[in-house]
């Protein structure tokens, strides 16, 4: 499908070929940044963040500005007329009048899809509740592609809050576009995959196994993708207390890893990934975060200008 003017809502809206186009564009931008420094001149991107963010917000902002474009927006709904009772729909409709593209993060599942139905400009989902986070998956897959040159054939473990983490769900759903050799879904029983994601995976034919203990498979993994427990998404704080601290990647666990394995994390980390691990050769999460800028530059260029400019 054509990239120009396209909404970016779920990783499953894309094909492997679409991702290849995106990766090659990002690589070209990494190699020759000066060539693109004015590519988005005159373009205005709206950043509507109804939830906290560090990397997603800043890397979108950096991506637009590194290509000579500009951004407007907000990071707290308390600074908008939502605080006076205005609806999400009217807020989206208004921002849409002012910009060429909207980037939206919101705590409700489906909010970006809904926004894309009412906005004239393309909408990019920067995270909707526990559901989707396609641009994080673009960054994650690009990081794998840069490191290994391929994704199919890898043995991948995803550890942590598979129930509420949109970064994990999106990553796992996205893997159905490839053929990893094996996928281990590692979590305490309370944080297992949501049924709709499990059903999709099963129907895709991808070989996956749901297990409790990382220690049993660490030595097999090429990739370990870790996520934090998404405390803010638990309807019941008592449930959160039950699982908090139930898994942790530290030097002792990592000692069992292959030397050439990579340890990924969308960040922020809280207590599931210790700081001592930062020195390990497998630590890849800050490199992964650094790819947020070229990948989002490539994405914005494709969505705003199309493929051949
Ligand atoms: C993630 C998110 O917001 O879903 N952060 C990010 O975008 N890198 C992960 C998280 O909050 O745990």
């Amino acid at each position: 499908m054509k990239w120009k003017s396209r909404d970016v809502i779920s990783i499953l809206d894309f094909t492997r070929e679409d991702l290849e186009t995106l990766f090659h564009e990002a690589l070209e931008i990494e190699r020759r940044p000066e060539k693109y420094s004015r590519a988005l001149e005159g373009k205005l991107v709206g950043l509507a963040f109804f939830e906290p963010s560090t990397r997603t917000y800043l890397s979108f902002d950096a991506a637009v500005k590194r290509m000579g474009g500009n951004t407007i927006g907000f990071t707290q709904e308390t600074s908008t007329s939502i605080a006076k009772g205005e609806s999400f729909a009217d807020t989206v409709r208004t921002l849409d009048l002012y910009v060429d593209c909207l980037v939206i993060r919101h705590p409700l599942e489906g909010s970006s899809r809904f926004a894309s139905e009412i906005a004239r400009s393309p909408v990019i989902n920067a995270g909707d509740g526990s559901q989707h986070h396609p641009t994080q998956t673009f960054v994650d897959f690009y990081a794998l592609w840069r490191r290994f040159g391929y994704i199919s054939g890898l043995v991948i473990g995803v550890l942590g809050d598979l129930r509420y983490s949109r970064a994990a769900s999106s990553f796992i759903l996205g893997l159905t576009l490839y053929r990893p050799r094996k996928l281990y879904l590692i979590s305490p029983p309370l944080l297992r995959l949501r049924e709709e994601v499990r059903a999709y995976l099963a129907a895709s034919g991808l070989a996956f196994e749901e297990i409790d203990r990382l220690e049993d498979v660490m030595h097999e993994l090429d990739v370990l993708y870790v996520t934090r427990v998404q405390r803010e998404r638990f309807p019941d704080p008592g449930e959160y207390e039950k699982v908090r601290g139930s898994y942790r990647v530290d030097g002792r666990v990592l000692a069992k890893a292959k030397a050439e394995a990579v340890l990924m994390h969308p960040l922020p980390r809280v207590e599931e990934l210790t700081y001592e691990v930062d020195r390990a050769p497998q630590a890849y999460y800050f490199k992964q975060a650094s790819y947020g800028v070229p990948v989002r530059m490539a994405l914005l260029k494709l969505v705003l200008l199309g493929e051949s400019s």
Side-chain angles (χ1 to χ4, degrees):
M1 219 175 126
K2 273 203 163 56
W3 272 95
K4 190 162 186 298
S5 302
R6 192 165 177 182
D7 296 314
V8 178
I9 308 297
S10 156
I11 191 67
L12 295 175
D13 299 340
F14 297 85
T15 63
R16 214 165 134 160
E17 204 177 36
D18 293 331
L19 297 189
E20 289 283 308
T21 305
L22 179 73
F23 296 167
H24 284 104
E25 194 78 44
L27 186 61
E28 167 71 8
I29 289 172
E30 269 200 83
R31 295 207 165 131
R32 306 171 65 190
E34 67 294 338
K35 194 178 149 198
Y36 299 95
S37 62
R38 299 175 72 166
L40 292 191
E41 215 162 64
K43 297 288 184 194
L44 192 54
V45 175
L47 304 175
F49 277 62
F50 296 86
E51 266 195 348
S53 175
T54 298
R55 276 149 292 270
T56 307
Y57 182 87
L58 293 175
S59 62
F60 264 113
D61 200 27
V64 176
K65 290 170 180 168
R66 289 234 181 246
M67 289 191 293
N70 230 318
T71 61
I72 56 168
F74 52 86
T75 51
Q76 275 182 333
E77 65 180 27
T78 47
S79 68
T80 69
S81 285
I82 290 205
K84 302 178 189 167
E86 188 168 39
S87 65
F88 174 70
D90 283 1
T91 309
V92 167
R93 221 169 255 142
T94 305
L95 188 56
D96 182 40
L97 298 171
Y98 305 152
V99 299
D100 302 300
C101 170
L102 281 87
V103 179
I104 301 178
R105 167 171 288 191
H106 194 279
L108 277 184
E109 285 81 23
S111 47
S112 283
R113 183 80 70 194
F114 172 65
S116 73
E117 281 158 18
I118 54 180
R120 158 200 62 94
S121 335
V123 170
I124 299 178
N125 182 3
D128 65 321
S130 304
Q131 209 162 24
H132 296 296
H133 196 353
T135 70
Q136 179 65 49
T137 308
F138 293 156
V139 173
D140 300 341
F141 286 0
Y142 183 72
L144 289 176
W145 185 75
R146 289 288 269 111
R147 175 64 175 242
F148 295 101
Y150 52 87
I151 296 174
S152 297
L154 294 171
V155 178
I156 300 177
V158 185
L159 169 71
D161 186 348
L162 309 181
R163 182 167 173 193
Y164 295 117
S165 165
R166 57 195 173 204
S169 313
S170 217
F171 183 81
I172 291 166
L173 287 173
L175 287 175
T176 63
L177 301 173
Y178 296 89
R179 277 285 168 266
R181 189 144 66 78
K182 186 83 206 253
L183 174 61
Y184 289 108
L185 303 173
I186 314 151
S187 73
L190 272 174
L191 299 181
R192 290 265 158 85
L193 223 51
R194 293 190 303 280
E195 190 44 44
E196 88 266 11
V197 180
R198 182 182 298 112
Y200 190 90
L201 263 192
S204 79
L206 199 150
F208 72 98
E209 205 177 313
E210 297 182 273
I211 60 174
D212 299 350
R213 282 169 41 90
L214 171 66
E215 286 80 352
D216 300 340
V217 297
M218 188 72 236
H219 63 283
E220 280 182 56
L221 302 178
D222 299 309
V223 179
L224 176 63
Y225 190 97
V226 187
T227 59
R228 74 183 167 96
V229 181
Q230 310 279 299
R231 178 184 199 158
E232 69 277 25
R233 310 236 184 265
F234 282 70
D236 172 0
E239 290 278 292
Y240 169 72
E241 288 305 326
K242 279 190 210 158
V243 291
R244 139 165 224 202
S246 54
Y247 58 93
R248 174 166 295 125
V249 176
D250 55 18
R252 189 186 55 83
V253 177
L254 208 62
K256 302 203 174 89
K258 288 189 195 173
E260 64 284 5
V262 294
L263 180 56
M264 298 176 71
H265 194 306
L267 302 174
R269 65 169 141 185
V270 277
E271 43 189 5
E272 69 290 343
L273 180 59
T274 62
Y275 287 84
E276 68 178 320
V277 168
D278 295 0
R279 291 189 305 268
Q282 295 93 343
Y284 193 46
Y285 29 93
F286 282 104
K287 187 71 188 164
Q288 175 190 358
S290 78
Y291 290 134
V293 177
V295 170
R296 291 187 171 100
M297 286 170 80
L299 174 67
L300 289 160
K301 181 175 171 285
L302 286 168
V303 167
L304 287 163
L305 306 175
E307 281 162 51
S308 56
S309 52

